[in-house]
Each structure stands twice: as C-alpha cells, then as structure tokens.
Amino acid sequence: METEAGTSSMRRGVAIGVIILGGAALWWMGGNGTDLTSAKNAMSESILAEQPRTGANDPRLKGASRFEEGGWIYVHLEGDAAALGFQHGYLLGPEIEDAFTAISAGMTHETQRDWAFFRRAAHEMLWPKIDEEYQQELQGIVEGLRARTNSKLDVDDIVAMNAFEELPDYYVPWYNKQQKVSHAPNLKSPGNCSAFVATGSWTKDGKIVMAHNNWTNYANGERWRIVFDISPKSGYRMLMDGIPGVIASDDDFGINSDGMMVTETTITQFEGWDSNGKAEFVRARKALQYAGSIDEYTKIMLDGNNGGYANDWLLGDSKTGEIAQLELGLRAYKLWRTKDGEFAGSNWARDPKVIKADAPQFEPNNMETSPNARRVRWDELLKENKGKIDVNVAEKMLGDHIDSYHQKPETNERTLCGHVDSSPRGVDVWGWAPYFPGGAVQAKATDSAMTKEMKLVARAGHPCGEDFLAKPFLAAHPEYAWQESFLRDMKAGPWTEFHSGETAKPQKEK
Ligand SMILES: [Zn+2]
C-alpha cells in the first residue's frame, strides 16, 4: 500500500516515532544496544510503505513490539482484548490494508458477490454471536489500524475479512441453495494443507512432533507470514502463525502455554452451514487461548459449531504425550486419540459417518486426487521414518515432492509440498482450475520440548525452498490476469526459529 502521502518531513516524523516506540519496547524488555540497532533496522525496512502514524504514544501500545526475520513479521501483543486488537491493528496497519485488498478481491471474484454482501453477513449473522472479548479485540484492530494508517476500513470489513475461509466457500453455497439462486457459481470448500502429529514409538524422543504446511492461493499465501506472540489478560499465552488482521491462526498452527499443540487440514468437498452458529475463526481462536486438554479443545470447537471452514483438527497435549484427531463435521464428528501413533491430514475425511453426512461427494478411493494421493505419501513417509521422526525430519517431509499416483518426483497438486501452478489438471475437487496459482505457501513445525519453551520453526514460501515468480507465471497463464494487481512473488525463506517474548535477534539480520 505505497501512498504518496509521505512527504520527506512526514517520513522523518514517522521514523522518529518508530525509533521511540522501538526503543521503549526494548527498554521495557531490558534490551541492549545491539538489540536496539537491529530493531531499528528491522523496523525502518517497513517504514517506506507506511503513512504517517499518529498514535505512537498511545498507552494501549505498551509492551507491544514487532520485528522481521526469515521472511516473517513477528509481533508481540499483550494486555486485555481491546489492547491486543489495537496493537495488532497498529503494528500491522499497512499489512492489514494490503491483505484486505487481496482477500476481498478473491472473495468477490470467486462468489460473484459484491463486498456489501459480505459486510452484511458479518454484521447481521456473525457479529451478534461473537464473544464480547473478541468483539472488543476486532474493534481494537479497527482503532489501531486507523491510528496508524487513517484507514477507511470498519469493523464489518474486519469481521468479514476474519471470516474469509468460511463465508465464500461455506456460507455462500448454502445461501445460494436456500435462495435458489440461478446461475450460481459452483463453489467448493477449499482443501488447505498437509500436516501430521506423531507420538510414542513413532518419534525419536517418544514425545510429540507436529508439522504443517499451509495450502492456499499464492496471493493470500504470500501475505500469510505473521508470527503472533499473544499474551492475553485471560487464558493461556499463544504462539501461532497467521495473516494480518485476522485473530485466529486460520491455517492453523499454534501452541499455548499449557502445552497444547494444534494444527489442522480442511475437509474436501464439505457441504453445510448453520447461520445460527458461531463463526469458526472465533471458536478456533478461543480454543487455542482457553483449552488445556484435548477434551477442552473439543468442547470449545463444538460449542456453536456453524460448519464453517470444517477441519480435521490434529491436536497434541505435551503434558501427557497424547495426540488426537478431531474430524469436525456439522452433522457428524469423530474424535480419535492415542499415546502411541500418528495422525496425518491432507484434506480427506476419514469417518464414514462424517463423509456420508457432511462430504457426500468425496471419493475416498479415487487415488488420482490431491487429498488421497497425499494421504498415500504421508503413510509411506511416516512408516519409513517410524522411530526417527523429529523436527528436522518433519521439515524435510513438508517439502516432499513425490507424486504417489505417478510414483515419481514431480512438483504438482499431489505432492505434500504442493505446486498447483505447474499442474495441467489443477484440483477439480476444490474448484482449482489447471495451473491455479496455489499450493503450499509456508510451513511450521514444533515438538513437545519446544512447546514447553514456547518455540516453533517456520519457513516462509514453498517448504521445499523454491520461489514462485508472479511475472513469468502471468505471462504464461493470462487466464489469471485478474490477479495481476495483487499477486506477488513468493520467495522462500530459511527455516527460522521463533519463541514467545522474542525481540529482534542481534546477529542474524540479513
Ligand atoms: Zn515444493
């Protein structure tokens, strides 16, 4: 969101504000001179894209901080709900504006609905059922954003944006069916992600290892590189990846200070929505913040289940070594759990009752499709590595390029590290046309010991390390020219470790 508003004197004002803020944050955290220099360097990188800030002295920013490393933007947020939101909106203001452009363009293009439709759904259907705590946080995002960028976005925009995984592909098809809309687009629920969680005799140290790569379109995926370190007034501390402006991880990968480890992959060809339910992004955030056990996690996700963004949740409780898979349909659900085993996800439902009730068109035996081909590959890889699985092995698996259907190395829609932009087939079961610019956009991993220390590793871009370049892609595939204004290069970063309470690392600036 480069603007012409920043005259040189304004820029100077901005820079001074950043230095004061950065220095103050480090002073609160007891940082040294080296930290200050690197923090200033990291912060000044992002100033150029900003408008003047007016609220740098706002007391709600106390304790909040931001730095960039390995292609990720790390933000530390702390305090009550309104303060968490304000800090989020303020520290990520330009990135929220930018993400909003890409996300709203995708939502309106795909559904053939205008933005007012989504604002109305957010205001009338979602907002009244959002817990007061999260209403305050969402309102806080708007206030922080406006203090930073003079944004025109309001709370309906931010709520609709938070629901970007559930409104277009779950609510809209349900609505079109209810209203008997003629010529409605054939919308299909998304398939996002490859993930596993393993424990007991499967892992090197007998404790839990959890890993995940996020599959989405590259336009959103390139922006999905925030590390949120959230220390809320109530509930557990959280460390998770996320996208600017959204209060849940949403792809999802997170840990909390009571030792819970959480990830998921989406259920392909899911159908259903309950307009009286509670938004998925609210339940998912609440569960990471308040669940201290697999049972508590399940209870929160089931409470007000609206069917939106229906996932197979892969959970770990590092206190007990137990892992679980919660296949959360709308009409049916199932929970599996074990202290010695593995659960993998690649967008296939597993329970016959869930498939019948919630994903009736899914074909579990069609091995050509992305979900089933990756299921086969997870089986092979996890068995091959049984007893040796640790975070290093997990990183390699997330970048794996074996197509189990062709039985050879390729980069396409069937590999755990997905590159659908090189597939002449696309992914029909998700409505992704041939050469769709989507696939694995970033990856994360952690284990029980790291969770105890509130640590995870993350890699921006394709988990294999390959770059995606927008210009040659668009030249070769003019059918995606509508994305030109917001589709960017997606450069891969290095695997990078992050932990709670972190400030910029002194020696590792690029
Ligand atoms: Zn790859």
Side-chain angles (χ1 to χ4, degrees), residues 445-457:
T446 191
D447 63 18
S448 286
M450 289 170 73
T451 298
K452 205 172 170 191
E453 297 173 6
M454 290 296 281
K455 278 183 190 167
L456 55 80
V457 290

Side-chain angles (χ1 to χ4, degrees), residues 16 34 40 65 68 75 79 95 97-98 127 131 143 146 178 230 298 322 325 348 369 396 420 426:
I16 290 164
T34 326
K40 276 191 297 193
S65 60
E68 295 175 27
V75 290
E95 287 82 9
E97 290 274 5
D98 172 60
W127 180 259
D131 306 58
E143 288 171 27
R146 288 183 175 175
Q178 294 281 310
I230 307 179
T298 303
E322 189 177 26
Q325 177 173 359
W348 38 272
T369 66
K396 289 191 188 80
V420 185

Side-chain angles (χ1 to χ4, degrees), residues 67-99:
F67 68 90
E68 295 175 27
E69 186 175 342
W72 293 87
I73 302 172
Y74 177 107
V75 290
H76 168 77
L77 315 176
E78 65 176 62
D80 61 23
L84 294 181
F86 188 85
Q87 294 164 8
H88 181 167
Y90 192 87
L91 292 177
L92 293 173
E95 287 82 9
I96 292 171
E97 290 274 5
D98 172 60

